[in-house]
Amino acid sequence: MKNNDAADDPGTTHFGFQTVDRDQKESLVRGVFDSVASRYDLMNDLMSAGIHRLWKRFTIELSSVRPGQTVLDIAGGTGDLAAKFSKLVGPDGRVILADINDSMLRVGRDRLIDLGAVGNLQTVQCDAQELPFPDDSVDCITIAFGLRNVTDKDRALQSMERILKPGGRLLVLEFSKPVSPLLEKVYDAYSFRVLPLMGQLVANDPDSYRYLAESIRKHPDQETLQEMMEDAGFVSCEYHNMTGGIVAVHKGIKA
Amino acid sequence: MTGRHDPTVVTAVLVAAEAAINRGLELDPTSARDLADMAGTVLAIDCLSPEIEVFAIVEETGRLHLTPYWEAPADVRVRGELTDFLALATAEDPAATLINSDLEILGNTSPLLALQALVSRMQPDWEAPLVDALGDVAGHQLANLLRGIFRWGQASSKSLRRQLSEFILEEGQLSPPAAELEHFFEQVTALGLRVDRLESRLQRLARRLAAQR
């Protein structure tokens, strides 16, 4: 499977199943997340039956983050991972919750304050393709369910590689390709029929959840994403399929 | 570990086990304090069948963290079959069970024995959460009922074990008594040693005979 992010015309890209100008994608994705921000956590729990918490927990285990380290959680949304990392790095460490979307970041910041995750936590609104941090400054980067929304994934991966310290690790948690054809059929039916209906009933926003299903299908599969990480300069790249490959977590180390 | 089993399933099982253990520890502050003294201890459980590797890490708060992934070396690693682990977890004499079982142990055994002892003497106060949730009267009544059921379960299990053992030894005569068995093993060991001695004597005689020729 090729990198589905690359449309035939270099000036265009995919927004779900639509082909749009590259400049347009960012604002379209922003529109989706502005719309879902307030019910993001509730919808995640409903859509995945709570399993997204297990996917995130396993990602945190793979991070092997230790006290005193600096962690950057890109597309951190409502701060699920950042809250856990805040405890792991302790008062001497630092966690940066980054998101391009102001609405998501605001929900995340409020939620983290409510959870008491303060002191070692910062929020930064930034673009994953142009991370505003110094070279070799971060021990661990996570991006959970965010990479598929980035316009130029290769550029984003290169930017992450730049700011990681040598030996630092990148963890990409993202929807992927089910390993069993039968599971793929069931998953397709669920994604294109149940998800938009759920979006309509709970969030009154079927289009955003249709985009979610479409963007997952356009996202690179496990092997392709691993190659993209290697092309960006990461070494010892590997991935773990979860829930039959519906989701995969990729790990890469900066040489 | 994750190559064979889906990490989602393994993580779900570990989350449930961790929550149950830590809930038990919350209801038994003495055990939690004892556990906190072992903070930083990492125990690797390497189960061969089913093939699962789990790490138990003791946290400073006296809680236990279970994870399928840990990069630093463990203080002690125990390898064996699931049945061996279950036997160890429920053993009255864990040290003897460790020595006699097929479990392979790498590293320092003392944290392992301390953990096992802690689990076996845990006495959680199940009444506290019930009273919190249902109020003093209903919570206390329900706790009494549960305690009764638990005691009945323990007594029944003990009685069943004793009766089963009596049947196997006395009624069915399916197995000899332990003392008889031990005596038989001693005799077998003594016979083995005598055979070894005889074998070396024969070899010595054969060498002497060969030298004379």
Side-chain angles (χ1 to χ4, degrees), chain A residues 157-192:
Chain A
L157 290 170
Q158 284 159 13
S159 179
M160 294 174 205
E161 201 266 348
R162 177 184 65 77
I163 66 164
L164 268 176
K165 290 178 186 173
R169 66 185 62 191
L170 165 67
L171 292 163
V172 181
L173 177 65
E174 190 54 89
F175 290 105
S176 207
K177 191 175 164 55
V179 288
S180 140
L182 180 66
L183 178 63
E184 194 169 11
K185 277 190 182 152
V186 174
Y187 181 50
D188 274 349
Y190 175 76
S191 307
F192 291 109

Side-chain angles (χ1 to χ4, degrees), chain A residues 69-125:
Chain A
Q69 290 193 325
T70 300
V71 180
L72 170 65
D73 182 24
I74 302 174
T78 51
D80 278 357
L81 295 178
K84 296 277 183 334
F85 283 131
S86 167
K87 282 185 189 161
L88 287 174
V89 300
D92 298 330
R94 192 162 61 121
V95 178
I96 304 158
L97 172 66
D99 205 302
I100 195 168
N101 188 286
D102 180 48
S103 310
M104 294 292 287
L105 206 56
R106 212 173 295 163
V107 173
R109 191 180 50 205
D110 291 349
R111 188 161 165 256
L112 288 166
I113 291 170
D114 290 347
L115 288 170
V118 287
N120 62 358
L121 218 139
Q122 297 166 2
T123 48
V124 175
Q125 187 178 2

